[in-house]
Amino acid sequence: MDTVSATMLYNFRPVKIPTNEIGRTQFLQSVCKPFLLIPSIFCYRKHHFRRALITSSMEETEMADSKDGLSTFKWVEVGPHLTEAQKEAISQLSPKMTKRCKALMKQLICFSTLQASLSELLGAWVKIMKPRRADWLVVLKQLKLMDHPLYLEVASLALVEDSFEANIRDYTKIIHGHGKRNQLIDAEKTLATMRSRGFICDQVILTTFIHMYSKAGNLELAEETFEELKLLGEPLDKRSYGSMIMAYIRAGMPEQGEVLLREMDAQEIYAGREVYKALLRAYSLAGDAEGAQRVFNAIQLAAISPDHKFCGLLINAYGVSGQSEKARAAFENMRRAGLTPSDKCIALVISAYERENKLQKALEFLIVLERDGIIIGKEASETLVGWFKNLGVVKEVDTVLREFSVKEANSKFEAT
């Protein structure tokens, strides 16, 4: 109904209906308005009224509705009580937006749960404005651009409206949106609605649920969903595998994740960079040097160039497992590959020597670095100082601190 003003506010208004006799004309009176005649049939037992739609002008529309009692939904022109944020948001609406879309957008911008529920607001909009799918999409797109907090709620309510003509991709977008916000319960409700309307889950939706179950720490549901994904009969992609691998990593089962990684390799499907890094980190923190080396090799087979962070995780794995010489070898391999060692990597090698109390080896390592023009930074220096303090070597600590301060000052001076 394009005659309705775009500047409206949604709220409840009390209704007074004086009656004289049963079946006679009733009068509906609104606050500060003339009486409007509405023929209705009054039942003296249940006191129910038929729904009535009243249009007093282009600037105002009322809708009376009744369930167990009498309630009135009223749209009125937006008054002077808007906040600056609301005024700014309304001013940003596109002038090309249709009246029906702009009317709802203004209602949503000014929406308050103290006035009505969101479902009642949308229901009134549908009844009065008769929107088409294109109108819904315009409103949802605008809410998403505004990063409006009601975006997902409006989208979820739209799914059950016939005028929205929902398809599987609409459900996918909403479930994915809930996944980004870690709203597992809301995502499951959307899935239940989708299935009740005869839609079948696809790979994208099930992958999203694996990811959500993984983050929620529910490995059992993640595995069940992964098996359901396999039953679709479609080839799994790297996102589906990657989500399940991450689930095993979060559950402290990197070996199971590695099994899936080998399954992917057999099909020439390679996981994303972050999945490899997460698996390598899991082995590294556990001190499983063999597992870390296997993953590091798989990274290179997947044509992913390791950076200093990947190398640092491998160095740490050897250090934690008490294999300082292999940690040093991994460091040297990194340099031979043309990577500039980070201060973190240097600190990890020093820590590996400290675990085995190989002070002489550590000093030789530092001499080689100095000879090659590599200056140790703050983290490596602090690691070395902490080791010296544990050994009770005070003078060496002071010397290292002074040398570090001088070198850091010189580096800053050269940079300027």
Side-chain angles (χ1 to χ4, degrees), residues 139-356:
V139 170
L140 292 175
K141 181 180 180 180
Q142 184 64 37
L143 290 174
K144 190 172 184 180
L145 287 173
M146 295 168 63
D147 195 24
H148 199 285
L150 292 177
Y151 164 66
L152 283 178
E153 191 175 351
V154 172
S156 297
L157 291 171
L159 291 174
V160 297
E161 293 290 343
D162 293 339
S163 58
F164 184 60
E165 300 175 0
N167 57 48
I168 187 67
R169 290 280 71 83
D170 296 319
Y171 287 94
T172 301
K173 290 176 183 177
I174 295 172
I175 290 173
H176 188 64
H178 286 309
K180 283 186 174 180
R181 299 184 185 185
N182 297 323
Q183 297 170 337
L184 179 57
I185 294 177
D186 292 323
E188 289 179 327
K189 288 180 180 177
T190 303
L191 179 64
T193 302
M194 186 190 80
R195 283 175 164 164
S196 69
R197 289 179 167 260
F199 290 101
I200 300 175
C201 286
D202 61 7
Q203 188 172 123
V204 177
I205 290 177
L206 293 177
T207 298
T208 301
F209 272 98
I210 293 171
H211 180 68
M212 282 192 286
Y213 288 138
S214 167
K215 293 182 73 174
N218 196 327
L219 179 62
E220 184 178 352
L221 283 178
E223 288 180 319
E224 289 178 5
T225 308
F226 189 66
E227 290 305 315
E228 184 179 351
L229 186 60
K230 290 181 177 180
L231 293 176
L232 292 178
E234 300 177 5
L236 302 184
D237 59 18
K238 71 175 186 179
R239 288 176 297 181
S240 301
Y241 275 114
S243 295
M244 195 62 228
I245 292 172
M246 292 300 298
Y248 282 126
I249 292 171
R250 290 188 177 104
M253 302 167 62
E255 297 85 1
Q256 291 298 111
E258 196 178 355
V259 169
L260 289 181
L261 199 63
R262 287 195 291 270
E263 185 177 318
M264 293 176 67
D265 290 342
Q267 302 176 58
E268 295 185 352
I269 302 173
Y270 300 106
R273 188 181 187 90
E274 290 304 313
V275 173
Y276 281 108
K277 185 183 289 184
L279 191 56
L280 180 58
R281 184 183 294 111
Y283 280 127
S284 177
L285 296 178
D288 188 339
E290 291 184 2
Q293 187 64 64
R294 286 196 306 270
V295 175
F296 193 82
N297 294 339
I299 290 170
Q300 296 175 84
L301 290 174
I304 296 175
S305 299
D307 57 14
H308 63 87
K309 292 182 180 180
F310 280 99
C311 296
L313 291 171
L314 182 61
I315 293 169
N316 182 72
Y318 281 119
V320 173
S321 63
Q323 302 180 65
S324 59
E325 291 305 317
K326 288 189 175 182
R328 172 73 180 277
F331 180 88
E332 296 301 335
N333 287 336
M334 177 180 67
R335 292 187 62 191
R336 279 193 288 271
L339 293 173
T340 302
S342 64
D343 192 54
K344 176 70 174 179
C345 292
I346 296 172
L348 289 171
V349 175
I350 295 173
S351 295
Y353 282 128
E354 182 185 3
R355 283 188 177 90
E356 298 179 43

Side-chain angles (χ1 to χ4, degrees), residues 5 8 10 89 174 210 374 392:
S5 170
M8 301 175 179
Y10 187 85
I174 295 172
I210 293 171
I374 299 175

